[in-house]
Amino acid sequence: MTAREDAVIINSLVRQALTSMQEVMGDHGLNAILKSCGLDKFIGNFPPNNLEPSIKASQYAQMNQAIEEFYGRGGKGMLRRIGKASFQYGVREQAALLGIAGVALKVLPEKQRIKFILNGMADALKKSNPQVEAWLDDSGDKLAYVESTCAICNSRHSDHPICHLYVGSVSEAVRWATGKEYEIIETHCLAKGDEYCRFEVGDVKE
Ligand SMILES: [Zn+2]
């Protein structure tokens, strides 16, 4: 297993994140964030769509932190929107990797659909980067998506869960699979000292 401080993010994932950040924050917002984290090299110059290591996971975490701080009270919502855009990017650009190409989910019960897409997300991440440990937790009453190598909170410390971008991605995945808005709750976070980040699928929002 890779030590958490040595963890890296691959090019295609950085490209996905930057594209989603640009969509949600615009060029101006994105460039300000990149400058503030010392990642100026990505300004107007996104990494290629391949599996080569790109940046350290801790740098990716710093970008998340910078967005949260830059937008103040709106930071959490902004990161969730970026997470949603990021899942939609996956649907557009990586349907085969996500295992969703040509799949007809409508025939499945809702719980099965949620399990299908969360398994797809975990498998896609693991296939892209062998360092990643992610899985579907269906051991309790509620389904949850879990990652013990979450990059968003790498090297960060907090008394509350902070992986808002991930919450957005999981909620958009579940919405894609069911057509409904479920509440996603981050119940565990590595930044709090937990063993993993865990995103639980709650009830349907009214
Ligand atoms: Zn996390």
Side-chain angles (χ1 to χ4, degrees):
M1 205 178 126
T2 312
R4 197 146 156 80
E5 59 270 25
D6 296 330
V8 294
I9 306 270
I10 57 168
N11 277 333
S12 65
L13 268 181
V14 173
R15 186 177 181 84
Q16 177 171 7
L18 294 177
T19 304
S20 308
M21 288 170 185
Q22 187 181 39
E23 240 173 79
V24 173
M25 309 190 301
D27 281 327
H28 186 74
L30 175 61
N31 293 348
I33 294 296
L34 289 172
K35 273 185 203 145
S36 78
C37 322
L39 292 171
D40 312 53
K41 64 176 178 181
F42 291 137
I43 294 178
N45 180 38
F46 290 0
N49 198 3
N50 65 34
L51 306 182
E52 295 299 312
S54 180
I55 55 173
K56 294 182 88 168
S58 55
Q59 289 178 289
Y60 181 68
Q62 279 164 24
M63 272 179 79
N64 272 267
Q65 185 170 2
I67 293 169
E68 197 175 333
E69 288 167 1
F70 191 75
Y71 291 97
R73 287 172 44 141
K76 184 170 153 182
M78 189 64 82
L79 286 163
R80 287 189 179 200
R81 283 172 58 198
I82 294 166
K84 286 172 190 259
S86 178
F87 179 79
Q88 286 299 341
Y89 176 99
V91 170
R92 282 196 315 271
E93 307 282 337
Q94 301 158 341
L97 182 65
L98 271 173
I100 60 173
V103 168
L105 285 184
K106 286 207 168 74
V107 296
L108 297 176
E110 204 153 288
K111 191 174 180 187
Q112 292 304 117
R113 295 192 215 175
I114 297 172
K115 285 170 79 164
F116 172 86
I117 195 61
L118 297 185
N119 269 322
M121 275 177 70
D123 289 346
L125 272 180
K126 285 188 289 186
K127 262 187 247 167
S128 308
N129 183 350
Q131 292 181 353
V132 169
E133 302 266 359
W135 65 94
L136 168 76
D137 171 14
D138 60 356
S139 61
D141 296 345
K142 307 255 177 169
L143 296 173
Y145 181 92
V146 189
E147 181 175 349
S148 61
T149 50
C150 175
I152 293 172
C153 56
N154 188 300
S155 307
R156 295 175 66 188
H157 300 281
S158 170
D159 60 1
H160 58 275
I162 53 173
C163 306
H164 312 305
L165 194 153
Y166 227 142
V167 169
S169 292
V170 172
S171 71
E172 187 66 7
V174 171
R175 196 184 67 83
W176 177 87
T178 64
K180 293 179 188 167
E181 294 277 353
Y182 279 77
E183 186 165 18
I184 305 299
I185 303 140
E186 188 176 8
T187 59
H188 295 65
C189 182
L190 287 152
K192 280 170 61 210
D194 295 323
E195 284 174 43
Y196 40 70
C197 298
R198 180 176 178 278
F199 306 90
E200 188 173 279
V201 182
D203 299 325
V204 178
K205 286 192 213 168
E206 292 308 322

